[in-house]
Amino acid sequence: MSSANQVSPVFEKDDGVVRPTAKFHSNVWGDRFLNYKEQDEIGHASQLKEVEKLKEQMREKVVGIGNQPLSEQLNLIDAIERLGVAYHFETETDQLLQHIFDSYNHYIINDDIDLYTSALCFRLLRQHGHYVSCDIFNKFKDDKGNFKESLRADMSGMLSLYEAAQLMVHGEEDTLEEAIAYTTTHLQSMATHLSNNPLATQILHVLKWPVHKAVPRIETRRYISIYQDDPSHNQALLNLSKLDFNLLQILHKKELCELSK
């Protein structure tokens, strides 16, 4: 070990007592967290009030979406979870997913449901403790039992299937391990051909960090940027996620200030 990385003892006298001390390196963060001031919370009360207003709007949205197409219900739940505000609507989303689960057999035999929606339904239900069979993916296979080549053109469907397949349990290897291998190969190929396109970055990120394996708050920050560029985004949900994220940052800064002191 080089001397630059070693801690050299220094002896100091205090009232006749010799005590060993050490020349520790200075904190890499400096006084950054000590500089937190109450001024950082300017507008805090008004933000909390706005959050409550947006929460009520979204709560009504979740409760009232049960009669809409399955894809709309699933997309709303997925967006709420990815944007980090699901803890505000646990009761409402659980009830909605229970309704979807109770009607699951109807959805399985519905040939109009595409790969993206089928995989999203499978993943969300499993993430919330509902066991559903991977047989839902059999309709996307050919006569030889392989996933159809026509699926290669469906990027959103491939991404959704890749994330859903991560939740396989023992006995499903024939279907879901094949799904992981199939989607990985073709998604990597898509990313290569897209080159510097932002979609390539998104594909590579999902391949490395499927949603249920990613760090939630980091994933939230990344997804906010993606969601706001989606023409079909819900503005109230987007505003809620940004405010919620910023308020949590203020709380973390305040806690770090107290810990640093």
Side-chain angles (χ1 to χ4, degrees), residues 119-205:
L120 181 58
C121 182
F122 177 89
R123 176 172 65 79
L124 288 175
L125 286 174
R126 282 214 170 174
Q127 285 181 181
H128 286 262
H130 298 289
Y131 176 77
V132 289
S133 173
C134 63
D135 291 344
I136 191 175
F137 300 117
N138 288 340
K139 65 180 179 180
F140 300 107
K141 294 184 175 183
D142 57 26
D143 295 337
K144 296 181 180 179
N146 300 317
F147 282 99
K148 298 176 181 178
E149 286 299 309
S150 59
L151 299 175
R152 295 173 57 181
D154 182 6
M155 190 190 78
S156 60
M158 297 280 278
L159 286 170
S160 187
L161 177 58
Y162 177 80
E163 294 196 307
Q166 306 296 319
L167 298 174
M168 67 178 168
V169 296
H170 181 68
E172 298 177 332
E173 291 83 359
D174 288 347
T175 295
L176 297 185
E177 278 194 357
E178 179 188 348
I180 291 175
Y182 177 80
T183 52
T184 298
T185 298
H186 296 299
L187 286 170
Q188 287 176 338
S189 177
M190 285 183 190
T192 300
H193 286 93
L194 288 170
S195 186
N196 295 325
N197 191 304
L199 291 176
T201 302
Q202 182 180 348
I203 290 172
L204 293 174
H205 177 84

Side-chain angles (χ1 to χ4, degrees), residues 51-52 55 59 84-92 240 244:
V51 164
E52 291 303 316
K55 280 167 59 178
R59 187 169 287 110
V85 293
Y87 69 98
H88 293 304
F89 312 106
E90 289 181 353
T91 300
E92 292 77 14
L240 174 61
D244 187 81

Side-chain angles (χ1 to χ4, degrees), residues 58 61 75-76 79 83 223-239 241-242:
M58 290 310 305
K61 177 72 173 178
N75 283 329
L76 179 61
L83 290 169
Y223 193 71
I224 286 175
S225 299
I226 295 174
Y227 187 69
Q228 66 184 1
D229 291 335
D230 183 349
S232 63
H233 73 258
N234 182 296
Q235 191 61 46
L237 178 56
L238 179 61
N239 291 343
S241 66
K242 288 182 177 181

Side-chain angles (χ1 to χ4, degrees), residues 10-260:
V10 176
F11 297 93
E12 297 180 350
K13 291 185 178 182
D14 183 9
D15 297 331
V17 179
V18 178
R19 294 184 175 86
T21 61
K23 292 182 179 179
F24 292 108
H25 296 292
S26 58
N27 188 337
V28 295
W29 293 105
D31 295 332
R32 179 173 181 177
F33 296 124
L34 289 174
N35 291 333
Y36 171 83
K37 298 181 179 62
E38 292 300 321
Q39 284 85 341
D40 291 343
E41 295 189 18
I42 292 177
H44 188 261
S46 61
Q47 287 180 324
L48 287 174
K49 186 176 180 180
E50 181 66 16
V51 164
E52 291 303 316
K53 176 182 176 182
L54 292 169
K55 280 167 59 178
E56 286 307 309
Q57 290 183 28
M58 290 310 305
R59 187 169 287 110
E60 292 177 5
K61 177 72 173 178
V62 176
V63 171
I65 203 172
N67 296 323
Q68 297 302 313
L70 176 63
S71 59
E72 291 188 27
Q73 298 177 49
L74 294 171
N75 283 329
L76 179 61
I77 296 173
D78 188 44
I80 286 173
E81 294 191 346
R82 288 179 182 267
L83 290 169
V85 293
Y87 69 98
H88 293 304
F89 312 106
E90 289 181 353
T91 300
E92 292 77 14
T93 53
D94 283 347
Q95 290 175 348
L96 182 55
L97 284 167
Q98 183 64 54
H99 168 71
I100 293 172
F101 179 70
D102 291 340
S103 307
Y104 188 68
N105 288 333
H106 165 71
Y107 293 132
I108 286 179
I109 62 176
N110 188 341
D111 292 332
D112 293 334
I113 296 181
D114 58 14
L115 176 61
Y116 169 81
T117 304
S118 298
L120 181 58
C121 182
F122 177 89
R123 176 172 65 79
L124 288 175
L125 286 174
R126 282 214 170 174
Q127 285 181 181
H128 286 262
H130 298 289
Y131 176 77
V132 289
S133 173
C134 63
D135 291 344
I136 191 175
F137 300 117
N138 288 340
K139 65 180 179 180
F140 300 107
K141 294 184 175 183
D142 57 26
D143 295 337
K144 296 181 180 179
N146 300 317
F147 282 99
K148 298 176 181 178
E149 286 299 309
S150 59
L151 299 175
R152 295 173 57 181
D154 182 6
M155 190 190 78
S156 60
M158 297 280 278
L159 286 170
S160 187
L161 177 58
Y162 177 80
E163 294 196 307
Q166 306 296 319
L167 298 174
M168 67 178 168
V169 296
H170 181 68
E172 298 177 332
E173 291 83 359
D174 288 347
T175 295
L176 297 185
E177 278 194 357
E178 179 188 348
I180 291 175
Y182 177 80
T183 52
T184 298
T185 298
H186 296 299
L187 286 170
Q188 287 176 338
S189 177
M190 285 183 190
T192 300
H193 286 93
L194 288 170
S195 186
N196 295 325
N197 191 304
L199 291 176
T201 302
Q202 182 180 348
I203 290 172
L204 293 174
H205 177 84
V206 171
L207 287 174
K208 185 176 182 180
W209 297 110
V211 62
H212 79 286
K213 293 182 179 180
V215 179
R217 296 311 297 180
I218 295 177
E219 185 66 15
T220 292
R221 179 61 188 87
R222 187 188 73 88
Y223 193 71
I224 286 175
S225 299
I226 295 174
Y227 187 69
Q228 66 184 1
D229 291 335
D230 183 349
S232 63
H233 73 258
N234 182 296
Q235 191 61 46
L237 178 56
L238 179 61
N239 291 343
L240 174 61
S241 66
K242 288 182 177 181
L243 279 172
D244 187 81
F245 190 89
N246 290 338
L247 287 171
L248 184 61
Q249 279 191 317
I250 291 174
L251 176 61
H252 286 168
K253 286 172 66 178
K254 186 174 183 178
E255 290 173 339
L256 285 168
C257 176
E258 293 172 356
L259 287 170
S260 297

